[in-house]
Amino acid sequence: MDVKIQQPEQQLIEPLVKPGAKSKRFKKAAKRVNNQKYLQIMALLGVVWMFIFNYIPMYGLIIAFKEFSIIQSISEAPWVGLMQFKEFLQDENFLIVLKNTLGMSLIKLIIAFPLPIIFALLLNELTSLKLKKAVQTISYLPHFISWVVLGGILTTWLADIGVINDVLLGLGMIDERTNFLASPDNFWAIVILSDIWKELGWSAIIYLAAIAGVSTELYEAATIDGANRFQKMWHVTLPAIMPTIAILFILAVSGVLNSNFDQILILKNSLNESASNVIDTYVYQLGIQNARYSYATAVGLMKAIIAFILLLSANKIMKKINGTSLF
Amino acid sequence: MFKLFKRNRRTTSEYIFDNINILIMLSICAITIYPIWYVIVNSLNDGMDAMKGGSIYWWPREFSLENYKAVFNNQGILTSFGVTVAKTVIGTIIHVFFTAMVAYAISRKDLYGRKLYMMIGIVTMFFSGGLIPYFLLIRDLGLFDNFLVYIIPTMFNFFHLIIFVSFFRELPTSLEEAAKMDGANDFTIFIRVIIPLSMPVIATIALFQGVYQWNDYFAGVIFVNDPSLQPIQTYLYKVVAESSSNQMMMNASGTIATKTVTSQSIKLATMVVTTLPIVLVYPFLQKYFVKGMLIGSVKG
């Protein structure tokens, strides 16, 4: 009944709105927005937040091309073109921070990237489900420990009276006690090993989920063909999780200029600085501690641009090699 | 090892592999747990006794709760704990509510301008202003030495939004429609219908953000000078990195007999107390965050 009465009314309204297609479309849009005003407010609050906390800092990047000091506003500061960038290229620390950043990242990429994959594959082969669950839960534990606390453990262990010295002395691998964090020699190894310790289990989650998603039919077919467990792991599981590996590899490559800031800041000290100063800590040191805002921003911007180019090229190369890509 | 008696229908090489595998896994667990065990054991040992040398590896040599007493009697540490608890609870609740609210609006296919809003967010995943412009912004907003610096700049996260959106898309629309028929507006629907249905994803994001809030020390380092606004992680950072352990000792000396505790033993006890709450919570949320990680990685 109701429906029948409403229909002619709607037909009456439509011709009224007709004059001019543009204004009709505009009115329709306005009506639609008005009908969902609560929804629009909810979405726009997020947009406003992003405008303030993401887009205003992006605008702030222009100070990399200026000589900004704390007494002026950003727009008042004089333009200096590429001066800050040129200065960084001639900076005596340029090569040191670049070497430390790339060195640690590339070793991480070679050693620390494959380990969670191997860990996930081995974990998947455990026949006891209870053991599997227990190992998984324990392996997530270090991810929840803060870098500050882990830094506290590391400084205790690596000190000259610490556990590491005890063990190495006992094994006869060193002759006298040393504080390992007080020299640049071991810094990279400490960073990479502690990173593996902290994130091995957590990074394996994604691979475990990918392995769980492999169709059981594939394994059954392989069994019928007479494949043993290693062959199944190599010929079924590994190819099946290859797309996941590829995407994470692209992200890892594009992140080689990122260091684990929280980690390095806590382990870094003046005695190991020649091995521990990376781009991120250098930006912090220059910008926040020495108040050289424009220069530090230029260093950070240069890093971001190279990282973005790396992301695009890694994406392109992976697309050519095996057809997986981020975008 | 475990499988000695169940040697059914497996080749010898598989049998060997299984046992070696179990051995590897148990070693990984041992390596994971031992450093934490070491800290706990040493924090329960008399501080002066530990200083005598000869490391304590497996069990307290001279059991003592004095270190923990010193921690809980130290006004500076307690204040910092209060800041951490406050910023974790308030920051996480606001983050989850705000991000979920925006995500719900954006998840609705009928939202006008949805694609534009999405684009605005995606750009932020690839480009950012970096540390210095962000630092200047926080300064200009007057958030220095302000508790809100822990809350407002962290109340939204686009990665978390994506996890929320993909969860909301899977929800049945029938309840929403029924609520609409009853005259409820979209905000009421979000509060009354969507939130109660979304507890799994809310638990995931709350865990991620809660861990971030609890463990973050950097905001406290660069934006806060006032010690009464300093979270416990920042306090520990200063102790560890700036080796101001002597100062910590002095703080403690006023309240407790200094014969038994040392700066090192208080540091270890503080580390245990700082870590314990998260370590006790995460195993119960495991099934949620595993799922959340998966959505985050696939769509992100």
Side-chain angles (χ1 to χ4, degrees):
Chain A
M1 280 269 285
D2 284 349
V3 179
K4 268 183 186 171
I5 297 165
Q6 273 176 2
Q7 264 178 345
E9 270 182 4
Q10 269 179 354
Q11 276 171 353
L12 270 175
I13 292 165
E14 283 221 350
L16 280 175
V17 190
K18 233 168 193 162
K22 251 189 189 169
S23 77
K24 184 190 162 192
R25 249 172 72 194
F26 178 77
K27 273 186 184 162
K28 248 188 167 173
K31 202 180 165 196
R32 224 174 121 189
V33 170
N34 191 43
N35 281 342
Q36 46 174 239
K37 52 180 181 283
Y38 285 96
L39 215 53
Q40 285 292 339
I41 291 168
M42 287 156 78
L44 283 170
L45 284 173
V47 173
V48 168
W49 187 96
M50 285 191 278
F51 178 77
I52 296 172
F53 289 98
N54 295 124
Y55 285 86
I56 290 180
M58 283 185 215
Y59 164 75
L61 281 172
I62 63 166
I63 67 170
F65 306 96
K66 292 186 162 204
E67 188 61 64
F68 172 76
S69 67
I70 211 85
I71 45 165
Q72 302 155 306
S73 73
I74 289 177
S75 51
E76 281 165 10
W79 291 95
V80 293
L82 294 173
M83 188 189 90
Q84 313 284 3
F85 296 88
K86 282 180 195 148
E87 199 184 330
F88 181 49
L89 293 175
Q90 287 157 3
D91 190 329
E92 50 170 5
N93 287 316
F94 170 66
L95 281 177
I96 297 173
V97 296
L98 193 68
K99 188 188 92 184
N100 290 333
T101 309
L102 280 177
M104 280 187 264
S105 291
L106 290 177
I107 298 174
K108 261 187 201 172
L109 203 60
I110 295 163
I111 300 173
F113 182 80
L115 283 178
I117 304 170
I118 298 168
F119 177 66
L121 287 173
L122 288 180
L123 194 63
N124 191 48
E125 291 299 321
L126 283 181
T127 38
S128 155
L129 278 181
K130 261 188 192 163
L131 183 65
K132 191 173 161 182
K133 198 110 206 278
V135 174
Q136 237 173 310
T137 306
I138 291 170
S139 73
Y140 299 151
L141 173 66
H143 174 79
F144 294 98
I145 295 176
S146 73
W147 269 114
V148 172
V149 169
L150 184 50
I153 299 179
L154 284 168
T155 46
T156 309
W157 276 37
L158 294 164
D160 40 11
I161 51 160
V163 178
I164 304 291
N165 269 297
D166 292 348
V167 173
L168 292 180
L169 267 178
L171 292 172
M173 286 168 78
I174 50 168
D175 299 325
E176 54 184 6
R177 292 180 174 271
T178 46
N179 185 343
F180 289 104
L181 277 171
S183 86
D185 303 341
N186 306 295
F187 191 82
W188 289 14
I190 293 165
V191 163
I192 289 155
L193 288 175
S194 58
D195 186 68
I196 292 172
W197 182 80
K198 195 169 185 298
E199 301 298 337
L200 176 74
W202 187 256
S203 319
I205 291 183
I206 295 169
Y207 298 116
L208 283 169
I211 291 172
V214 180
S215 152
T216 45
E217 284 172 29
L218 288 173
Y219 290 109
E220 282 159 17
T223 314
I224 292 167
D225 289 343
N228 65 30
R229 269 167 60 195
F230 314 111
Q231 286 167 327
K232 277 185 227 169
M233 205 202 285
W234 189 257
H235 294 288
V236 180
T237 316
L238 205 56
I241 63 170
M242 225 11 154
T244 311
I245 297 177
I247 285 182
L248 290 174
F249 190 74
I250 296 171
L251 289 174
V253 168
S254 65
V256 290
L257 289 179
N258 289 330
S259 312
N260 192 335
F261 185 78
D262 283 354
Q263 177 192 20
I264 293 186
L265 195 65
I266 191 110
L267 296 174
K268 183 171 162 293
N269 58 44
S270 51
L271 293 170
N272 61 29
E273 191 150 50
S274 63
S276 63
N277 209 1
V278 291
I279 299 176
D280 289 339
T281 49
Y282 194 50
V283 169
Y284 171 63
Q285 197 180 314
L286 288 169
I288 310 289
Q289 292 174 334
N290 302 347
R292 296 180 64 189
Y293 300 109
S294 284
Y295 188 49
T297 306
V299 176
L301 179 59
M302 211 151 122
K303 185 198 115 174
I305 291 169
I306 301 171
F308 191 66
I309 295 169
L310 276 174
L311 174 69
L312 292 182
S313 14
N315 193 50
K316 205 165 191 181
I317 291 167
M318 286 313 263
K319 210 174 195 172
K320 267 197 183 140
I321 293 176
N322 68 0
T324 25
S325 70
L326 268 178
F327 33 78
Chain B
M1 299 275 296
F2 284 84
K3 301 292 168 205
L4 271 177
F5 309 106
K6 277 208 236 162
R7 210 179 149 178
N8 49 352
R9 273 195 284 148
R10 271 187 295 170
T11 62
T12 323
S13 66
E14 281 187 21
Y15 169 75
I16 294 169
F17 167 77
D18 273 335
N19 284 325
I20 292 178
N21 194 13
I22 290 173
L23 204 66
I24 294 173
M25 289 301 153
L26 292 179
S27 320
I28 290 178
C29 290
I31 294 169
T32 304
I33 290 175
Y34 182 68
I36 299 155
W37 181 248
Y38 176 91
V39 174
I40 295 172
V41 166
N42 276 271
S43 72
L44 288 169
N45 195 83
D46 186 275
M48 281 317 243
D49 172 66
M51 280 236 310
K52 283 179 204 155
S55 296
I56 295 137
Y57 291 136
W58 306 109
W59 206 250
R61 197 164 53 201
E62 199 164 307
F63 184 83
S64 155
L65 286 173
E66 289 303 319
N67 301 320
Y68 288 91
K69 276 188 195 153
V71 167
F72 288 111
N73 280 324
N74 182 324
Q75 203 47 52
I77 295 180
L78 285 184
T79 308
S80 290
F81 261 121
V83 173
T84 294
V85 170
K87 91 183 180 91
T88 303
V89 172
I90 299 171
T92 306
I93 291 173
I94 292 181
H95 174 90
V96 167
F97 181 81
F98 187 74
T99 306
M101 182 188 78
V102 180
Y104 172 64
I106 287 184
S107 76
R108 285 266 300 263
K109 293 230 162 67
D110 57 333
L111 178 77
Y112 206 70
R114 198 180 115 243
K115 281 203 174 123
L116 175 70
Y117 299 153
M118 222 32 206
M119 260 334 276
I120 290 172
I122 288 168
V123 168
T124 68
M125 294 169 77
F126 292 100
F127 303 98
S128 88
L131 179 65
I132 307 302
Y134 183 70
F135 175 84
L136 295 173
L137 170 76
I138 298 294
R139 194 202 57 177
D140 292 345
L141 290 173
L143 290 172
F144 269 33
D145 272 334
N146 186 335
F147 181 73
L148 291 176
V149 78
Y150 303 126
I151 311 294
I152 297 174
T154 60
M155 66 195 273
F156 183 78
N157 179 323
F158 195 71
F159 288 94
H160 293 173
L161 175 131
I162 291 173
I163 295 176
F164 272 124
V165 166
S166 54
F167 184 90
F168 293 151
R169 289 258 167 83
E170 305 289 312
L171 290 176
T173 54
S174 53
L175 282 168
E176 268 172 88
E177 278 154 18
K180 239 183 200 165
M181 295 293 248
D182 292 344
N185 66 46
D186 290 311
F187 186 70
T188 317
I189 293 175
F190 168 68
I191 302 277
R192 296 274 167 80
V193 181
I194 301 299
I195 288 184
L197 287 173
S198 308
M199 280 310 157
V201 71
I202 286 175
T204 308
I205 304 297
L207 177 79
F208 287 170
Q209 191 65 18
V211 170
Y212 168 79
Q213 283 283 9
W214 189 273
N215 283 346
D216 181 54
Y217 68 92
F218 192 58
V221 171
I222 64 171
F223 300 131
V224 174
N225 287 320
D226 182 356
S228 67
L229 278 175
Q230 177 177 261
I232 190 69
Q233 302 283 357
T234 307
Y235 182 93
L236 263 177
Y237 166 78
K238 288 183 176 162
V239 171
V240 173
E242 295 164 12
S243 51
S244 62
S245 31
N246 295 329
Q247 193 201 335
M248 196 175 188
M249 191 60 218
M250 271 154 57
N251 288 343
S253 63
T255 48
I256 198 88
T258 44
K259 276 176 196 162
T260 55
V261 295
T262 62
S263 58
Q264 173 69 8
S265 64
I266 298 181
K267 185 174 92 184
L268 293 174
T270 313
M271 277 157 57
V272 172
V273 179
T274 309
T275 309
L276 214 59
I278 294 188
V279 169
L280 292 181
V281 166
Y282 90 88
F284 301 100
L285 294 166
Q286 198 169 326
K287 62 174 177 188
Y288 296 133
F289 67 69
V290 169
K291 226 177 182 175
M293 273 287 283
L294 189 62
I295 302 170
S297 65
V298 172
K299 313 257 162 132

